Structure formats: structure tokens, C-alpha cells
Amino acid sequence: SIKLIICYIYSYYRQTFFLFFFLSFLFVFFFFFKQKTAYEIYQCDWSSDVCSSDLDRGITQRSVALWGLMYDIQEARLIFAIRDGDGHVVGIRGRHRALGATYAKYRSYTELSPSGKDPKHYGIWFGMHFPLKKKALVLVEGELDAILVKQSKAASNVWSAMGAGISPAQIDRLKSLRVPIILFFDNDTAGDLANKGLIKELRGLMPLYRVSNYFGYKDPADLVTAKKAREALCTARLVF
């Protein structure tokens, strides 16, 4: 009968409406709110006051503000906000104050990421949110290296790979650039492998240089502390 048909249609659309409403609610909750709060780092047990031991490394208060550095109180880590080219926070990494059995030296807070992946996976370099000036781009290994080299004014354009392991997406990012690149990774086996890997991938795409003299120091941060970073960069030799 007509009445039965009307009841059936009403019941069908009522179920469809509630299903649509429920799915819309889930989408808004898990996407909008998750995205909005994923990197709300002030909600963590972190302080905006960087530990004095990190300031002793030579980081100035201006650099703390410029890079948005914070401090993980629970794990005693200097916190780096990783940003994309538009300045959006896409990752969080921390550097422990001292090596020990409890915590690893570096940690990516991937649990705060909606994707659960390290920003390196998407071709992100630490420091790439600063506009590139018409000068060579210096590539370093650690975040602290990038901060101190830029702070010392030994170089204007400095990106950190956030470790010696460089992802394919990070390499693709470099291949899209047309600026001279200076390789300034750590003066050790891992840094040497990173340099060689990048030389293999980038050779012939842009002027490519490699720092040849570290004056006995391990990394760019140590060279900045010794006031020899600029001198070391002057030893960069063109890679053929």
C-alpha cells in the first residue's frame, strides 16, 4: 500500500541521514581537530625556556626566538620545530642534552604527527622555511649545526638534513634547486657517506662544493664554537 511505501522511504532516508551525520562527525573530529592540535606543542610538558646548558653551547636568545626553540622537561631535550617551505610546523625533533642509557641522543616525535612519519619522508630540511638568498646553500647534518652556522653569519642559507641519513624525497628537493650547494656534513664516517651520496645524486645539476678542512673539529657546531666556521667554509672545493 501507499502508506507502507511511505514508511519504507522514510525509514530508508532516516537511516541514510543518520549514517551521513555520523560519518561527517567522525571526519570533522579525526581530521579537523587532529590537524589543528597535532603540533600544539605548548600543550606538552615543555618549556619555552631553553636549558642553560644549551645556551652555553653558544645559542643566543635571538636564535631561540628565531627558530622557535623549546625544551622537553620530561626527557631533557632541546626541541626543534620542523617547518616546511611555507613556515608550517610539520614535525618535532629533540636533541638530548647528554648521551646516556635512558634516552637516545635524537628523537623524532612522530606520535605528534597526523601521518606518523618523519618529516624527512616528505623532503623536509630543517631551516628551509627561511627565504633563500642569492648565495650558496650550505647543507649540514644536525639542527644545532644549522642554528649555530646561521647565527655566526658564516653562511646565510643553511639547511640541516636532520641526521646523516638522507631520504630520497630530500634529494629530490635539492634537485629542484638551481643554487650552488656546499656540503658541510660532520667530519666522520657517517658525514663522509652523506657527502658521497649527495655528490653522486647532484653532480652536474648545480655548482657543488665540499668543505675540505675541518681543522681537527668534528662538526660545524664545534667549528662555530672555535670561531673557525667561516674559515672552514672557505676551504670548500668544487666537485667535478
Side-chain angles (χ1 to χ4, degrees):
S1 66
I2 296 177
K3 188 174 182 180
L4 185 62
I5 293 173
I6 293 173
C7 289
Y8 174 78
I9 293 174
Y10 172 75
S11 175
Y12 172 79
Y13 279 104
R14 184 178 65 176
Q15 293 177 20
T16 303
F17 171 77
F18 280 114
L19 178 62
F20 174 77
F21 177 81
F22 178 70
L23 291 176
S24 298
F25 173 78
L26 288 179
F27 175 81
V28 170
F29 183 81
F30 286 106
F31 180 79
F32 177 76
F33 287 101
K34 177 70 172 178
Q35 292 279 24
K36 184 176 180 182
T37 63
Y39 296 115
E40 196 64 47
I41 59 179
Y42 290 99
Q43 298 301 316
C44 299
D45 186 21
W46 296 345
S47 168
S48 58
D49 294 327
V50 174
C51 184
S52 60
S53 65
D54 294 305
L55 295 176
D56 290 342
R57 287 296 307 269
I59 302 176
T60 64
Q61 289 291 354
R62 182 178 183 279
S63 287
V64 170
L66 182 66
W67 294 84
L69 303 180
M70 299 188 74
Y71 188 67
D72 183 341
I73 298 172
Q74 183 176 355
E75 295 190 12
R77 293 183 186 276
L78 179 63
I79 295 299
F80 310 105
I82 314 302
R83 302 177 185 273
D84 63 15
D86 296 321
H88 301 132
V89 176
V90 294
I92 302 292
R93 273 173 56 88
R95 183 184 192 275
H96 201 268
R97 291 169 54 194
L99 293 176
T102 306
Y103 297 113
K105 182 177 181 181
Y106 287 98
R107 178 162 104 79
S108 290
Y109 292 74
T110 52
E111 71 274 16
L112 298 178
S113 168
S115 67
K117 294 182 178 180
D118 193 291
K120 293 162 69 87
H121 177 80
Y122 301 104
I124 302 298
W125 289 75
F126 180 68
M128 65 181 293
H129 61 288
F130 293 113
L132 282 176
K133 298 180 181 179
K134 294 182 179 180
K135 295 181 179 180
L137 171 62
V138 177
L139 300 181
V140 297
E141 190 169 320
E143 294 90 342
L144 190 59
D145 296 321
I147 292 169
L148 291 179
V149 169
K150 190 176 182 68
Q151 175 184 290
S152 71
K153 299 183 179 179
S156 301
N157 304 321
V158 191
W159 289 5
S160 162
M162 298 176 283
I166 302 168
S167 73
Q170 286 181 306
I171 293 173
D172 288 341
R173 177 85 61 180
L174 297 177
K175 288 180 177 179
S176 68
L177 302 177
R178 290 299 177 265
V179 296
I181 289 179
I182 300 176
L183 303 178
F184 197 16
F185 281 74
D186 288 5
N187 185 27
D188 56 18
T189 302
D192 185 55
L193 289 174
N195 281 329
K196 289 178 178 177
L198 286 174
I199 289 171
K200 180 181 178 181
E201 295 287 344
L202 304 178
R203 192 195 304 268
L205 297 180
M206 73 280 290
L208 191 60
Y209 299 83
R210 178 177 179 176
V211 171
S212 61
N213 192 344
Y214 286 73
F215 301 99
Y217 293 94
K218 179 185 177 295
D219 55 39
D222 288 344
L223 282 161
V224 170
T225 302
K227 296 181 170 43
K228 285 186 173 291
R230 190 185 299 272
E231 191 175 348
L233 284 169
C234 287
T235 71
R237 298 291 178 261
L238 183 64
V239 176
F240 294 99

